[in-house]
Amino acid sequence: IALSIRQPWAWLILYAGKDIENRDWSTKFRGRFLIHAGKGMTRAEYATAADFAASCGQRVPEPEALQRGGIVGSVELVDCVTQSDSPWFVGEHGFVLRDPRPLQFVPWKGQLSFFDVPRDALREATHG
């Protein structure tokens, strides 16, 4: 199972301690999921995210250094909350994350919400 997250937010989860993924919907899912870095990222979106990251004491790589349009890692979702002390929480729902693990980039088409990624296809993409 995977979730598409726009850059640089996906990078912040994997490398900078972003422990909440904010969504306007709740989930009962718990467990490890693949992080899909969305293909889209406007300059304005990047600037907003970079400013927010800076307010949390983090610097993000330049836009061209961020991998987009594929699987970039995995993380464990341990809770879904409506309030949190994490500086990354901005509501309405926060997916509480732990144990991020970067993976070798695998080009993949994203989808809305959680989506299935067949193991065989992923294995073929990484070893093909």
Side-chain angles (χ1 to χ4, degrees), residues 41-81:
M41 180 182 70
T42 67
R43 286 184 186 165
E45 287 171 335
Y46 174 84
T48 299
D51 288 347
F52 190 91
S55 76
C56 293
Q58 298 295 331
R59 270 181 68 124
V60 295
E62 293 300 314
E64 53 278 355
L66 294 167
Q67 295 174 313
R68 298 185 351 222
I71 306 296
V72 294
S74 72
V75 71
E76 189 179 356
L77 192 162
V78 296
D79 203 0
C80 181
V81 298

Side-chain angles (χ1 to χ4, degrees), residues 17-61:
K18 182 176 184 279
D19 60 353
I20 296 275
E21 171 59 16
N22 296 286
R23 295 285 160 149
D24 60 5
W25 48 276
S26 178
T27 183
K28 293 187 183 327
F29 174 80
R30 301 294 182 270
R32 183 158 293 276
F33 67 89
L34 295 170
I35 297 172
H36 174 271
K39 203 167 199 155
M41 180 182 70
T42 67
R43 286 184 186 165
E45 287 171 335
Y46 174 84
T48 299
D51 288 347
F52 190 91
S55 76
C56 293
Q58 298 295 331
R59 270 181 68 124
V60 295

Side-chain angles (χ1 to χ4, degrees), residues 33-126:
F33 67 89
L34 295 170
I35 297 172
H36 174 271
K39 203 167 199 155
M41 180 182 70
T42 67
R43 286 184 186 165
E45 287 171 335
Y46 174 84
T48 299
D51 288 347
F52 190 91
S55 76
C56 293
Q58 298 295 331
R59 270 181 68 124
V60 295
E62 293 300 314
E64 53 278 355
L66 294 167
Q67 295 174 313
R68 298 185 351 222
I71 306 296
V72 294
S74 72
V75 71
E76 189 179 356
L77 192 162
V78 296
D79 203 0
C80 181
V81 298
T82 55
Q83 55 185 7
S84 171
D85 291 335
S86 170
W88 299 104
F89 181 79
V90 295
E92 174 176 340
H93 298 278
F95 296 178
V96 180
L97 308 175
R98 76 171 177 211
D99 192 26
R101 298 180 189 169
L103 294 170
Q104 181 179 339
F105 181 79
V106 178
W108 203 269
K109 188 174 176 6
Q111 297 177 38
L112 295 176
S113 193
F114 285 104
F115 60 95
D116 288 327
V117 177
R119 280 188 197 269
D120 290 349
L122 193 60
R123 192 176 302 115
E124 189 173 305
T126 56

